[in-house]
Amino acid sequence: MAIPREIRKLIESSRFDALEDAWLGRLAEGPSDLEFFVGIGRALAGTGEEGRARLLLGLLDDELRERGDWEARLELLHAAGELLLEPEAVHPEILATLTEIYRRSPSFAGLLEMVGLRRAPDDLPKTWLKVDRLRRLLELDLGAVVWMAGKGAGRVEEVNLELESFKIDFERHAGLRVGFKAAPKLLRPLPAGHLLRRKLEEPEELERLRDADPPELLRLVLESSEGPQTAGEIRETLAGIVDDAGWTAWWAAARRHPQVMAAAGGRHKYTWAASGDDAREAVFDKFSAAAPEEKLEIFRREAARLPRLRARMAADLAVLAADLADREPATAIAAWAALEKASALPEGDLPWSPDRLIAAADDPAQLLAAIADRALKERLLERIAELRDDWPAVFRRALEAETHPRVLSKLAESLGERDPEAMESFVRQALSRPRSYAAAFVWLVERGDGSPGIGGANPLRLLQHLLAALDQAEMSPHRARLRALFKEDCLPTLIARLDEDQALRAEEALKRSHLEDFLRTQLLNALHLRFPALRAETVDRLYATPEAIDARRAELRRLLSEEIPANRKAIEEAREMGDLRENFEYKAARQRHEYLTARAEALGRDLKRVQVIDPRRLDSAAVRVGSRVTLAASGGGNRVITILGPWESEPERGVLSYDSDLGRRLLGLVVGERVAIDGAEHAVESIESYLAPPGGSGG
């Protein structure tokens, strides 16, 4: 421990009177600087002055006891107990000090015995390890408010020494038990004033702040957290105070405060600045150091919220846009649009205005492709059509690179009116080479017969392209929209346009596809309704888990090898008993024979058509056979439903057949979609494999 140089000189020169004066002077100011006092004590002991060290530390100890500062005294015993006391006296003083600290604790005496603090009093290193464990457990004493990941805040309702566990009532899980060994790792004590603690102790005050002062409630959340928080984390913290219906309005009002700081990037994290000036300077420092795209994001987000900063950022952006006009015209145009929206455009004819840059561009289609904002693109299309005579060729090239459906529609509408042949040529190319025109291909199929040229496309070829697209890397940005096509009218429309020669190839393509089982079945049924001759070749699949299939096979083996032969023997024995008309045993054996053979035949038929539910192929993007679905009711509470086959159906345990009414309605839903159950609205909260551990992550 470092001690002041002047004190060290007093020790080195044996000026102990002066040293004691300095000690007493510092002690009169207060005994809180234990590092100073212990450092001097150790330095004295190092020069052979152990007696003087013990005397001075004894004065400090007396002062701490007189003040009742038992926490500091325990720290002194830990840091210098062997200097202050005789070795055999340290352990009793540790116990006495702990008793003073925890005199009001109902669990102290029992936990002290449980950790074995009275045992091995001579082994001080182990004693201090036991003290540390005891104190960590006592932080979780009866009545303590704690936090646990996944459970939220809760209050300790019982300390059970026999079971060596704490019983805690959490917000979402009452009566949860946590063992003494795991508790210090899993539970975090919440100090007085912490937002999560106040949710338990004074929810009415937090609800008042929610309505009267949203930024103040947000400040409490951010200052109670250990680091920056995402909006999702803030929402989770305030669950029960700000409900789902009121979240959007509350969040918009709360984060508008100038001291709310957000880091740039796709996933913002928020903190609370010490003052409004600090917040503005922090934002401007971040803005000044940012790359151009990030500057734009910060300006768009903060210009309205921090009006005193807007002019400084706008001036910086104007200089940046002028500098980038030749090299990155798309960024210059984006800056122009952001400044215009904030009413901060410089006056005069700007050389980096959109009209100037469009007129000067060698290829405005490349300029359009570099613009991310959809509304800005639509404005630029109008200006290109007015300013450029070559706009049809520009629009034709833009169609190849564009990804946004609304912009594609605007391009197609304008080009179709001016040059329908060019538009039809593009449609033919996009439909024949979907991997090269992924976004346009999906958009065209979504429009259906509303797209020029698509009505004459080969329906079988289009169906094959759609099925193949599900596995193509080029289609990955559009996969959700592709899957939606299979649930809507697009595929039935294509099937209706097939002829008999194409129908068999369409059936083969559907069977080979990586569609979810329920979708494949629906489309095959539609195909067979259109072409009944195909149905004779089809098998109605029965989906089941490997365990259920094994159980049915075992039952069939038992029937064929044991029960049916045994029953035949019973029939023969009954026949030997005489008159069959009055022979009860014979009739019973015959009836059982009919039952057993019918059961065996049914099992044989089912096992021929059974399809295993393969957990390795389950994709949790949507509900399918083999999914476990967590549904959140609009009125609160969750319901977990597992979709399996008819062999596994146990409605009382939440396991439904995919062929049940509710099972059919759940199939194909994605997270966020809603379904009515028993008159109540439920939202899909998570989707996971039926084999995932309970509480596992959803899709």
Side-chain angles (χ1 to χ4, degrees), residues 88-266:
E88 65 274 9
V90 177
H91 186 273
E93 289 302 320
I94 292 173
L95 292 179
T97 305
L98 287 170
T99 302
E100 291 293 343
I101 294 172
Y102 296 108
R103 62 170 56 251
R104 293 184 177 84
S105 165
S107 310
F108 169 68
L111 289 173
L112 184 142
E113 296 299 331
M114 193 212 72
V115 301
L117 196 51
R118 296 188 189 279
R119 298 193 295 271
D122 297 333
D123 192 344
L124 285 179
K126 282 191 177 179
T127 293
W128 286 113
L129 290 176
K130 294 172 185 176
V131 169
D132 180 61
R133 187 184 179 207
L134 173 66
R135 286 168 66 80
R136 283 187 289 130
L137 290 173
L138 285 168
E139 286 184 324
L140 311 173
D141 202 358
L142 190 66
V145 178
V146 298
W147 177 88
M148 181 176 176
K151 305 297 180 186
R155 190 183 301 279
V156 178
E157 298 295 339
E158 176 185 288
V159 180
N160 193 311
L161 295 171
E162 292 183 2
L163 297 178
E164 294 192 5
S165 67
F166 298 100
K167 180 182 175 184
I168 306 152
D169 283 347
F170 287 103
E171 296 173 89
R172 285 164 276 176
H173 195 144
L176 181 69
R177 288 198 175 274
V178 180
F180 285 168
K181 289 185 178 179
K185 298 177 183 177
L186 297 179
L187 304 175
R188 175 162 61 89
L190 297 176
H194 193 286
L195 189 281
L196 291 174
R197 180 166 182 154
R198 293 182 68 182
K199 278 181 69 178
L200 292 180
E201 296 177 339
E202 45 182 313
E204 297 83 3
E205 172 60 16
L206 297 183
E207 290 170 357
R208 186 192 68 77
L209 285 176
R210 174 198 64 196
D211 300 330
D213 195 348
E216 175 62 13
L217 181 56
L218 179 56
R219 181 188 70 79
L220 293 175
V221 174
L222 295 175
E223 291 188 347
S224 289
S225 63
E226 294 180 351
Q229 298 283 290
T230 65
E233 289 167 337
I234 295 167
R235 186 171 187 172
E236 171 118 5
T237 298
L238 290 175
I241 301 298
V242 181
D243 60 24
D244 290 346
W247 166 259
T248 301
W250 180 86
W251 177 238
R255 69 174 176 173
R256 197 175 295 130
H257 195 279
Q259 285 170 255
V260 178
M261 299 289 297

Side-chain angles (χ1 to χ4, degrees), residues 495 503 507 510-511 520-539:
I495 288 171
E507 183 185 44
L510 284 168
K511 288 180 178 179
R520 186 189 299 107
T521 300
Q522 288 178 4
L523 292 171
L524 284 171
N525 287 341
L527 184 67
H528 297 154
L529 283 173
R530 174 87 169 82
F531 301 98
L534 295 175
R535 186 182 295 276
E537 302 298 325
T538 65
V539 176

Side-chain angles (χ1 to χ4, degrees), residues 349-367:
D349 186 15
L350 302 175
W352 44 274
S353 69
D355 284 4
R356 289 281 195 94
L357 296 177
I358 287 170
D362 292 333
D363 186 1
Q366 293 183 1
L367 184 60

